[in-house]
Amino acid sequence: MHLLTATTGLKRLAIAIAAMVAAAFATLVALSFLIPAASVRDAVKSEIHAVTGLDPLLGDDVSLSLFPSGAVRFRNVILGNDRTGEPAVVADELTARLRYFPLLAGRIEIADVTLVRPTINVSFSATGQSNWSGLIESLAHALQPDPERTASFSEIGIQDGTVVVHDAKEGVTERLENVEFQVAWPSISRSFGANGHFVWHDEPVEASLTLSDFLAALTGERSGVKVRLSGAPLKLAFDGSASDQPTLKIEGALGVDAASLRDALRWTGKNKLPIGGFGRFALRAQSDIGGGVMSLSNVNVELDGNTAEGALTLATDGQRLVQGTLAADALDLTPYVSGIRLLAKNERSWDYLPIALDGFNDFNLDLRLSAASVKISGAQLGRTAVAANMRDGKLDLTIGEAQAFGGVAKGALGFASVDKGIALTSRMQFLDVDLEDCLGQVFGVHKLEGRGNLAVNIDGSGSSVLAVTNALNGTATLNAHAGAIAGLNVEQLLRRLERRPLSGNGDFRSGRTPFDQLAINLKIEQGMVSIDDMHIDGPAVRLAVGGQASVPTRDLDLKGVATLVSTATASEFDLPFVVQGPWDDPIMLPDPQSLIRRSGAAAPLLDAAKTHNASDAVRAVIDQLLGSPPAPAVATPAMAPAPAPTAPKASQ
């Protein structure tokens, strides 16, 4: 009995609910015919104005749908038209979803609004005035507290939108495509939030923006700000505050990450970085932005595996400038010189491919950098302080003092971008350095050992490394002590030739030639090196050298005199010689006439050549070499023939 009563009650409840649903449906169907389109348009327009402060221009093309949910659609909608220029927002379609229960009572209340395929235009004049200035004032007025106003819609959606930003002062126009955003409008709370994604320069970017006090932000008062951007080229996070009274000021914690800084800057279209490197990048700092200047304090920056701390200032108003001071424990600068190739693939001649310093003209730099150790390719430097200054397409590197090659390096290097090439200047000094290490790392010369001082003052320009070597001008000096010439034993060569001048010198390109002092003074004109003075003083030999060398062809053409100091004879043994061939493997050849002259057997040949009595001289030399007695002399009546002396054995 009780079960039957319960079943009857459930049936009655189901019938009541079905009746209510049917009544609601019938009401919605009836309302779709009874509510005039003009009334719907006016109600939606009024509510959008009340919430946003904007006066939308809604056309007569209205579509009202009340089932399964209430929605009204307008086509060809304009928002923020001040009739002084291009409208701020133009949408192909505006869809307003209606609240259900107010609609049953005959009221039009919007739950949320969606803009379909809108184009949002943001323009800045040459004076910095924006087409949104008046609209922002309307938004701020609409958000003022009003106790008589009831809560309205708080969500605005953007589907397949486009944002166009035009800066007349810079002459730049940027476009954000495929904009998909959901905006949490502060109709109830004071905060504003936007989340979504867009495509910029063919790269999708996830983005979010949060303002803790939207009304304060619109009126220029201080408001909390959170920004997140995440894309393949770059990730950015900011958490701080912003105000616009009296001028724009933004401060807070900033974080930036990029898999490649070079690719990220190329993506932004702002800068092309020169030479090599600029890969993995990360920045953490406390930022202060205002007046077109971003000041970064407590900076922790990572680039290509190098980590440094300090302070930076980035000027974005006008020409871009980076200033700052950074300190690091260890730096590896190899990635930044890896793009510089001095020699061709065969490693025997200078590279002839065109070179250019892209990115020098649109980027300014004033940076002071210090490190406890610095690595450049195979060179390892100690404590180093460098100032880098880049302006008007020219990079100047000033080395205050660097512990390099066992000594100290200081000076300046300059690189400038010129028409179809580069210009190079060098004012470098290397003090008390290991010459084998220094000359090998800097010039590729591995034949000189010891310690000394080196000064190089040169300049040149051209479209390739080979062209620069043809245009080099300047001077170079080298003073060394307690060293040796590697790969050549001059003392051994001189001693053998002293004993046997015509025995052949063999191959003496091994061993070492020690010296106490070495001095070289060079003058360079159009790639040709003239030796003004070069002398080497050693415990056993002295060398005086003159001549020329070609930088473009990397060849030597030198003449000199080698003197054997320690000799058993009373007089010193001097030997003229020539040095010819490539820098890395030259050949030293003694002067043949000097050797012949020193040979007791062959010296008459030179004298005979001068007196044109070659046949008798040749016969005499052969007799001396073979030890044959001379022909007997013919007797005369006045003189008896004397016995011929035995000829001494000639030295060879």
Side-chain angles (χ1 to χ4, degrees):
M1 184 69 177
H2 293 288
L3 180 61
L4 181 60
T5 303
T7 302
T8 304
L10 289 175
K11 289 182 178 180
R12 291 176 180 176
L13 178 60
I15 294 173
I17 293 174
M20 292 175 60
V21 172
F25 175 72
T27 302
L28 292 176
V29 173
L31 288 174
S32 64
F33 292 100
L34 297 177
I35 299 177
S39 299
V40 174
R41 181 177 61 250
D42 293 341
V44 171
K45 180 178 179 180
S46 176
E47 192 159 357
I48 291 176
H49 175 75
V51 173
T52 66
L54 305 179
D55 291 319
L57 298 180
L58 306 177
D60 294 331
D61 190 353
V62 182
S63 175
L64 179 61
S65 174
L66 300 180
F67 188 83
S69 63
V72 58
R73 293 177 177 82
F74 301 88
R75 291 176 177 81
N76 301 323
V77 176
I78 297 177
L79 296 173
N81 185 17
D82 56 7
R83 294 178 172 81
T84 60
E86 195 171 13
V89 181
V90 177
D92 289 351
E93 183 178 299
L94 182 149
T95 300
R97 191 167 60 86
L98 306 179
R99 286 193 172 93
Y100 178 75
F101 289 106
L103 187 60
L104 292 178
R107 299 194 311 271
I108 302 294
E109 291 186 8
I110 299 176
D112 56 62
V113 171
T114 301
L115 298 175
V116 181
R117 292 180 298 279
T119 299
I120 303 172
N121 295 290
V122 182
S123 300
F124 296 93
S125 65
T127 59
Q129 188 72 15
S130 170
N131 65 325
W132 279 76
S133 299
L135 302 178
I136 290 176
E137 293 179 2
S138 299
L139 289 172
H141 180 74
L143 292 174
Q144 294 291 339
D146 186 356
E148 297 182 358
R149 187 177 61 192
T150 59
S152 185
F153 69 90
S154 59
E155 292 186 14
I156 299 177
I158 298 175
Q159 294 181 3
D160 194 17
T162 301
V163 178
V164 181
V165 181
H166 178 70
D167 189 341
K169 182 178 180 180
E170 297 291 334
V172 176
T173 299
E174 296 288 356
R175 295 176 63 91
L176 307 182
E177 307 283 354
N178 300 334
V179 178
E180 300 279 345
F181 260 81
Q182 286 298 124
V183 178
W185 199 261
S187 61
I188 302 176
S189 65
R190 302 173 61 182
S191 64
F192 170 89
N195 294 275
H197 58 85
F198 57 85
V199 174
W200 185 46
H201 293 178
D202 300 324
E203 288 286 350
V205 178
E206 297 287 336
S208 67
L209 170 65
T210 302
L211 300 174
S212 62
D213 193 332
F214 191 36
L215 177 59
L218 293 177
T219 57
E221 300 297 331
R222 185 182 179 88
S223 172
V225 179
K226 290 184 179 180
V227 178
R228 300 289 186 272
L229 298 175
S230 179
L234 184 72
K235 294 181 180 180
L236 181 146
F238 176 82
D239 192 347
S241 61
S243 64
D244 196 22
Q245 296 294 338
T247 59
L248 178 63
K249 183 177 180 61
I250 302 174
E251 55 186 3
L254 176 67
V256 182
D257 291 272
S260 169
L261 180 59
R262 182 182 299 276
D263 292 342
L265 290 178
R266 185 185 297 115
W267 173 59
T268 63
K270 299 299 183 182
N271 294 91
K272 294 180 179 180
L273 293 174
I275 314 177
F278 298 98
R280 176 75 177 90
F281 173 76
L283 172 71
R284 302 290 182 271
Q286 191 68 25
S287 63
D288 190 340
I289 306 172
V293 176
M294 176 186 291
S295 299
L296 302 178
S297 58
N298 300 325
V299 173
N300 188 298
V301 60
E302 178 185 347
L303 181 61
D304 295 316
N306 298 310
T307 302
E309 298 178 348
L312 293 172
T313 300
L314 288 73
T316 58
D317 188 11
Q319 199 167 23
R320 287 169 288 276
L321 171 66
V322 176
Q323 292 178 305
T325 302
L326 294 174
D329 291 333
L331 289 178
D332 185 359
L333 302 182
T334 303
Y336 312 106
V337 299
S338 61
I340 303 176
R341 192 176 68 179
L342 298 181
L343 297 178
K345 292 183 178 180
N346 58 14
E347 297 291 333
R348 296 181 181 273
S349 59
W350 300 110
D351 189 56
Y352 56 85
L353 296 177
I355 54 176
L357 301 179
D358 294 335
F360 272 38
N361 293 324
D362 57 354
F363 183 73
N364 292 330
L365 179 69
D366 186 3
L367 182 65
R368 279 144 184 80
L369 182 63
S370 61
S373 65
V374 178
K375 180 182 178 182
I376 306 177
S377 295
Q380 186 70 46
L381 310 182
R383 186 167 298 279
T384 304
V386 178
N389 186 280
M390 185 188 299
R391 288 184 182 274
D392 301 325
K394 182 180 180 181
L395 172 62
D396 292 315
L397 299 175
T398 302
I399 303 174
E401 186 172 298
Q403 297 174 355
F405 313 116
V408 174
K410 60 182 181 179
L413 295 172
F415 304 90
S417 178
V418 297
D419 185 28
K420 297 181 180 180
I422 68 168
L424 165 70
T425 60
S426 172
R427 305 289 183 266
M428 290 297 301
Q429 295 183 50
F430 300 89
L431 306 177
D432 193 26
V433 295
D434 184 317
L435 294 177
E436 183 179 17
D437 192 13
C438 178
L439 295 178
Q441 294 291 340
V442 178
F443 300 103
V445 177
H446 302 274
K447 299 293 185 181
L448 201 58
E449 301 174 359
R451 303 190 68 85
N453 302 331
L454 173 65
V456 180
N457 299 305
I458 58 174
D459 60 74
S461 62
S463 59
S464 65
V465 175
L466 179 61
V468 172
T469 62
N470 279 280
L472 282 181
N473 296 286
T475 60
T477 61
L478 173 62
N479 292 281
H481 61 275
I485 301 174
L488 182 65
N489 192 330
V490 177
E491 180 185 5
Q492 182 182 357
L493 172 63
L494 292 178
R495 290 192 182 280
R496 176 172 295 189
L497 294 178
E498 182 187 29
R499 294 192 305 267
R500 304 176 61 187
L502 298 182
S503 64
N505 60 338
D507 188 1
F508 292 88
R509 289 181 291 179
S510 61
R512 300 167 68 252
T513 301
F515 61 79
D516 298 323
Q517 299 291 331
L518 178 148
I520 303 176
N521 293 311
L522 307 178
K523 184 178 181 180
I524 308 171
E525 291 184 351
Q526 296 299 307
M528 292 301 298
V529 181
S530 300
I531 300 179
D532 292 343
D533 176 44
M534 177 177 177
H535 60 271
I536 302 173
D537 296 325
V541 297
R542 293 196 308 268
L543 297 173
V545 182
Q548 290 185 327
S550 172
V551 180
T553 59
R554 298 164 57 86
D555 287 333
L556 299 174
D557 186 10
L558 308 178
K559 295 182 179 180
V561 176
T563 302
L564 184 61
V565 176
S566 176
T567 178
T569 62
S571 61
E572 296 178 338
F573 176 58
D574 295 332
L575 178 65
F577 64 89
V578 296
V579 179
Q580 294 178 334
W583 290 0
D584 51 356
D585 192 22
I587 298 176
M588 180 178 180
L589 299 174
D591 179 52
Q593 291 189 6
S594 298
L595 296 178
I596 294 175
R597 188 177 292 108
R598 285 188 171 275
S599 173
L605 293 175
L606 292 178
D607 297 335
K610 296 178 180 178
T611 60
H612 305 287
N613 191 16
S615 59
D616 295 341
V618 170
R619 179 62 185 174
V621 169
I622 293 175
D623 290 340
Q624 290 185 18
L625 293 175
L626 298 178
S628 303
V634 179
T636 61
M639 182 176 182
T646 303
K649 187 177 181 180
S651 63
Q652 295 181 352

